Amino acid sequence: MPKLIKSIALLLCVVSIASCQKAYYNAMEKVGVHKRDILVDRVEEARDSQAEAKEEFASALERFASVVNFDGGELQTAYDRLNASYETCRDQADTVSHRIDKVEEVAEALFAEWQQELTQYSNANLRNQSANQLRVTQIEYKKMLAAMRKAEKTMPPVLDVLRDQVLFLKHNLNARAVAAIRTELATVQRDVSSLITQMERSISEAEQFISQMQKS
């Protein structure tokens, strides 16, 4: 019985969210902002959040390198800076994921509407042109979304490594602890470099998609 109640509650939640989304899109259309415009705006936001994440992870790498190359001074301060960088990266990663989800949400609504409206054409030539444009847009969108999701997946492993080092330093604020994590520097550098490469590819795909949407 509890499982049934949970399932019903989840279904009601999904229905409620879908209703809210539909009401939002309808309200925006009344003021001249269509799903296509919202999609472009959300892709821009996702692109910007990825650019910010790229910078934050690069900064975290610099902090990590400064800690492992520590040669005196206040280790607590160095730890605090590294921990702050880790927390900023974690928050930025959450923002990236959220914004990609929002892109996917409006894209699904746009394509469903577009597909349904194809049936309303009386002119076969115009219908075929619109259908072709829909296919092209979906292909470009899927390519962009795949790049975004791939970049998104590179963040958790780096966050895991950074978190482990931060936790280890937290309980071992001494030179021996710094020496122990020094061997991880090459791994962190490699992972962050890979992350930045994927982010840059995703940002490029987003910019191409935005350009295509604005032209068509």
Side-chain angles (χ1 to χ4, degrees):
M1 193 65 173
K3 288 184 178 180
L4 177 59
I5 294 174
K6 288 182 180 179
S7 297
I8 294 173
L10 179 60
L11 178 60
L12 291 174
C13 182
V14 170
V15 171
S16 177
I17 292 173
S19 297
C20 289
Q21 290 171 356
K22 186 175 181 180
Y24 170 73
Y25 296 141
N26 288 340
M28 293 300 285
E29 284 195 13
K30 287 180 180 178
V31 294
V33 180
H34 300 279
K35 295 181 183 70
R36 185 187 188 89
D37 305 313
I38 298 171
L39 175 58
V40 171
D41 286 345
R42 290 186 180 179
V43 171
E44 289 176 342
E45 290 174 352
R47 176 202 61 194
D48 293 345
S49 67
Q50 288 185 316
E52 291 168 9
K54 183 184 76 169
E55 295 302 322
E56 292 297 345
F57 276 94
S59 177
L61 175 60
E62 291 179 4
R63 296 288 189 193
F64 184 72
S66 70
V67 169
V68 300
N69 293 321
F70 188 76
D71 59 357
E74 182 54 58
L75 188 55
Q76 178 68 49
T77 300
Y79 158 77
D80 289 341
R81 289 173 179 169
L82 179 59
N83 185 52
S85 288
Y86 162 72
E87 291 180 350
T88 300
C89 285
R90 183 190 60 197
D91 292 344
Q92 194 61 49
D94 288 342
T95 298
V96 168
S97 295
H98 174 70
R99 289 185 176 175
I100 295 174
D101 288 343
K102 298 296 284 184
V103 166
E104 199 164 9
E105 171 194 296
V106 70
E108 289 176 355
L110 170 63
F111 295 141
E113 177 185 72
W114 196 338
Q115 185 67 49
Q116 190 277 328
E117 289 179 345
L118 289 176
T119 64
Q120 299 177 22
Y121 281 94
S122 58
N123 186 307
N125 184 49
L126 291 178
R127 180 174 61 249
N128 291 337
Q129 288 185 51
S130 184
N132 183 63
Q133 185 59 45
L134 170 58
R135 283 192 295 271
V136 170
T137 304
Q138 286 177 314
I139 289 171
E140 293 301 316
Y141 164 75
K142 289 177 180 178
K143 183 180 176 184
M144 178 201 67
L145 183 65
M148 283 187 170
R149 290 301 187 190
K150 187 173 183 179
E152 178 189 21
K153 288 180 181 178
T154 63
M155 292 186 289
V158 179
L159 286 171
D160 288 346
V161 171
L162 288 174
R163 182 199 60 218
D164 288 349
Q165 308 315 313
V166 167
L167 286 174
F168 187 77
L169 275 177
K170 179 180 180 180
H171 301 291
N172 302 274
L173 287 174
N174 52 53
R176 186 174 296 177
V178 171
I181 69 171
R182 187 167 290 139
T183 57
E184 297 294 328
L185 179 57
T187 299
V188 175
Q189 287 175 325
R190 184 193 66 227
D191 291 348
V192 171
S193 177
S194 177
L195 182 153
I196 289 174
T197 297
Q198 293 299 332
M199 286 291 183
E200 289 174 343
R201 288 175 182 170
S202 177
I203 290 168
S204 177
E205 289 290 346
E207 289 175 345
Q208 289 180 38
F209 181 77
I210 291 167
S211 178
Q212 184 225 350
M213 292 291 282
Q214 291 174 336
K215 288 178 181 177
S216 60

